[in-house]
Amino acid sequence: MMNRTSQILYAYWNEVRGKRIAPRRFEIEPARIGSILPETFILERSEQGGYRFRLSGTRIFECFGVEFRGESFLDLWQGVDRDLVANTLHAVTDQGAVATFSFQRAAESGRPATFAAVLLPLVHSCQ
């Protein structure tokens, strides 16, 4: 894993899922990952295949100066990058894959910054 936050999140997710492909959404207890919640986001897949931010931590807001909650994750990407991210999200949600990636973007200060993300699937409660 790329950074401490990703390592903590993956370890918790892996512990909760056990031998299953992914834990159920309701099994995740935010208090157990309280130290990294400000740096965490949750995406929700719509029936149409879109991915919206269900939750976006305060540290993410501080870095980008934007509240992403309710916004489309794929709208942050363009061209080939958007296609790559969309394919990765489909693999995570359809196949239970785990994905990590890093990207550069200008932070609110205008200075370029490198960010890392780990995408971990959750099973919806109705499944």
Side-chain angles (χ1 to χ4, degrees):
M1 293 287 148
M2 294 177 246
N3 61 40
R4 183 179 162 278
T5 298
S6 295
Q7 291 170 349
I8 291 169
L9 186 58
Y10 178 79
Y12 174 63
W13 175 87
N14 199 38
E15 174 190 327
V16 174
R17 82 176 171 125
K19 296 184 187 269
R20 298 170 295 162
I21 199 163
R24 294 194 180 281
R25 188 177 74 184
F26 69 83
E27 293 177 305
I28 300 300
E29 298 176 37
R32 296 268 316 270
I33 54 172
S35 66
I36 62 167
L37 277 179
E39 301 168 356
T40 303
F41 63 88
I42 296 176
L43 302 177
E44 182 173 49
R45 183 179 180 180
S46 70
E47 290 183 20
Q48 296 79 24
Y51 298 89
R52 297 223 173 270
F53 284 93
R54 183 180 176 112
L55 171 119
S56 180
T58 55
R59 179 81 171 107
I60 296 169
F61 172 80
E62 290 169 2
C63 287
F64 293 99
V66 175
E67 171 56 62
F68 288 117
R69 198 167 106 193
E71 298 296 322
S72 169
F73 185 72
L74 288 176
D75 285 352
L76 300 175
W77 313 93
Q78 297 177 1
V80 175
D81 290 337
R82 182 184 173 104
D83 294 340
L84 180 61
V85 171
N87 289 336
T88 301
L89 287 167
H90 290 309
V92 170
T93 58
D94 293 345
Q95 300 168 17
V98 171
T100 61
F101 63 93
S102 63
F103 59 95
Q104 281 193 331
R105 182 164 175 158
E108 185 179 19
S109 66
R111 301 168 89 192
T114 300
F115 298 90
V118 59
L119 301 176
L120 305 166
L122 297 175
V123 176
H124 192 277
S125 302
C126 296
Q127 294 178 341

